[in-house]
């Protein structure tokens, strides 16, 4: 990737899996820590072939699930305090991108992966109701709402398939 990489691929994978994933506390994460997590998350999954990059370094697509570190990303998105808006917004955005950007090689599994996303949100929603955590319940609903908003605005996998119709566009007209 970059000519100025500090670590080789094996070292990056070791740092992510054996240090970051084991010792990072999702609830106490600051923005710098989150940025480090996100960079390693994308890089390690790219190195392992779970994420593929297209044309530019910023444009990427999921080629295989589950991604390495995905449970930690879920923890960050669901457990970060509401007061930490930068990390909250960044983690929710990344989480939704993971479930929105699928490579053509796994396109037929898009529905299955999105169902897993919805399932995860609903399980956490039920748990938050049991412990009477209003903020956690609202977080789950926010995650579901953002995924729905993206799907309705851009259609299925809008980054890869420019000809896909937005969900809302399919409902226009006579049934």
């Amino acid at each position: 990737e970059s000519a100025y990489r500090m670590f080789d691929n094996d070292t990056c994978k070791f740092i992510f899996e054996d240090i970051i994933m084991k010792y990072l506390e999702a609830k106490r994460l600051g923005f710098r820590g989150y940025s480090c997590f996100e960079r390693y998350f994308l890089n390690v999954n790219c190195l392992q072939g779970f994420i593929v990059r297209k044309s530019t370094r910023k444009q990427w697509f999921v080629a295989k699930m589950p991604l390495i570190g995905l449970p930690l990303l879920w923890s960050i998105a669901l457990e970060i305090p509401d007061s930490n808006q930068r990390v909250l917004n960044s983690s929710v955005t990344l989480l939704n991108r993971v479930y929105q950007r699928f490579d053509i090689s796994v396109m037929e599994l898009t529905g299955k992966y999105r169902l897993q996303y919805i399932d995860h949100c609903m399980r956490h929603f039920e748990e938050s109701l049991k412990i009477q955590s209003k903020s956690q319940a609202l977080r789950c609903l926010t995650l579901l709402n953002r995924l729905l908003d993206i799907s309705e605005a851009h259609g299925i996998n809008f980054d890869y398939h420019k000809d896909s119709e937005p969900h809302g566009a399919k409902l226009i007209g006579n049934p």
Side-chain angles (χ1 to χ4, degrees):
E1 325 257 320
S2 169
Y4 58 88
R5 290 185 76 148
M6 184 179 287
F7 302 117
D8 63 33
N9 295 348
D10 291 336
T11 304
C12 287
K13 188 175 184 229
F14 170 79
I15 289 170
F16 187 64
E17 290 181 335
D18 293 341
I19 298 174
I20 294 174
M21 286 176 51
K22 286 184 181 176
Y23 299 107
L24 187 121
E25 292 182 56
K27 292 179 185 179
R28 301 174 139 220
L29 194 59
F31 189 70
R32 287 183 187 171
Y34 173 77
S35 296
C36 178
F37 164 80
E38 184 175 306
R39 176 167 275 186
Y40 274 92
F41 175 80
L42 293 172
N43 186 46
V44 167
N45 280 291
C46 188
L47 293 173
Q48 298 300 309
F50 289 17
I51 287 177
V52 293
R53 295 193 191 270
K54 306 284 183 181
S55 64
T56 68
R57 287 185 51 83
K58 291 188 179 202
Q59 192 176 20
W60 54 267
F61 300 91
V62 174
K64 191 188 301 185
M65 288 282 263
L67 299 177
I68 299 167
L70 189 57
L72 183 55
L73 178 58
W74 271 106
S75 293
I76 295 167
L78 291 169
E79 297 174 13
I80 198 76
D82 291 336
S83 59
N84 196 339
Q85 283 295 305
R86 267 181 96 184
V87 173
L88 173 60
N89 289 333
S90 297
S91 62
V92 168
T93 297
L94 179 60
L95 188 60
N96 279 326
R97 283 183 179 156
V98 163
Y99 287 90
Q100 193 67 30
R101 293 180 173 179
F102 293 103
D103 187 61
I104 193 77
S105 63
V106 293
M107 190 55 60
E108 70 278 355
L109 300 172
T110 299
K112 173 187 169 189
Y113 294 144
R114 295 220 179 110
L115 188 56
Q116 289 172 355
Y117 178 98
I118 293 166
D119 247 14
H120 195 96
C121 286
M122 293 308 296
R123 275 194 318 275
H124 197 77
F125 180 74
E126 289 172 1
E127 290 170 17
S128 64
L129 292 178
K130 287 178 186 172
I131 61 169
Q132 298 181 348
S133 174
K134 183 179 178 182
S135 66
Q136 290 297 310
L138 288 173
R139 179 76 51 84
C140 295
L141 295 176
T142 299
L143 283 166
L144 291 168
N145 186 47
R146 287 193 186 175
L147 183 69
L148 182 60
D149 285 347
I150 291 169
S151 294
E152 286 186 345
H154 301 289
I156 301 168
N157 211 3
F158 61 91
D159 284 324
Y160 200 88
H161 301 285
K162 299 298 181 196
D163 59 342
S164 66
E165 278 187 273
H167 180 259
K170 294 177 183 176
L171 299 176
I172 296 173
N174 294 330

